[in-house]
Amino acid sequence: MYKSKYNKRAVGHDLELLAGEYLTRNGLDIIEYNYFNRTGEIDIVAKDGKYIVFAEVKYRSGNNYGTAVEAVNVRKQIRIRRTAQGYLMQRGLRQDSFVRFDVIAIDGTTELNIKWIKNAF
């Protein structure tokens, strides 16, 4: 389904939109996709009640390189946190705002399995 027909960038974009639709169906309001600054990128920024949610979307077609969840390692988490701090500053939001870091892990090729991990790190 997501293999040779598409390039990686197009696959990533499609899956980020799929993840955004999933979050919307589960009550979140999407603020923006692909926020980036000099420290990194955040795939989805959303609102869940009083929380600003910074969501990382990861996809793996197989387990050769680990699962999608395992791909969000400590180094990636640090980069996302720094990028989120930049987001808050750039948008004029308080640094002590209620924030949450979620992971949307998508595994599979023909049948996609979506796993939403709230407060992942």
Side-chain angles (χ1 to χ4, degrees):
M1 178 180 191
Y2 284 101
K3 284 206 166 192
S4 62
K5 187 176 173 183
Y6 298 100
N7 66 41
K8 284 185 177 185
R9 189 175 301 252
V11 170
H13 175 74
D14 290 349
L15 292 171
E16 287 168 359
L17 292 177
L18 178 71
E21 291 169 7
Y22 180 86
L23 292 175
T24 299
R25 282 193 311 271
N26 283 280
L28 276 70
D29 295 317
I30 304 300
I31 297 171
E32 66 183 275
Y33 290 91
N34 302 112
Y35 167 80
F36 68 95
N37 61 29
R38 63 186 178 99
T39 58
E41 179 187 8
I42 296 175
D43 295 327
I44 299 173
V45 181
K47 188 86 169 138
D48 186 12
K50 65 182 178 180
Y51 286 92
I52 298 170
V53 177
F54 298 101
E56 176 69 8
V57 179
K58 279 295 179 190
Y59 168 69
R60 290 291 183 264
S61 60
N63 291 335
N64 294 343
Y65 301 102
T67 65
V69 172
E70 294 169 338
V72 186
N73 58 30
V74 173
R75 184 176 175 179
K76 182 75 172 172
Q77 293 171 18
I78 291 168
R79 176 166 274 185
I80 292 168
R81 285 184 187 276
R82 286 183 183 149
T83 306
Q85 287 175 334
Y87 176 90
L88 295 173
M89 286 188 341
Q90 189 179 43
R91 300 295 190 267
L93 301 169
R94 295 173 45 123
Q95 292 296 310
D96 62 352
S97 296
F98 290 101
V99 299
R100 192 174 78 211
F101 297 92
D102 293 359
V103 172
I104 309 301
I106 305 172
D107 290 290
T109 51
T110 55
E111 186 175 323
L112 298 178
N113 178 31
I114 300 175
K115 185 175 185 179
W116 177 17
I117 303 167
K118 295 180 183 179
N119 282 319
F121 55 93

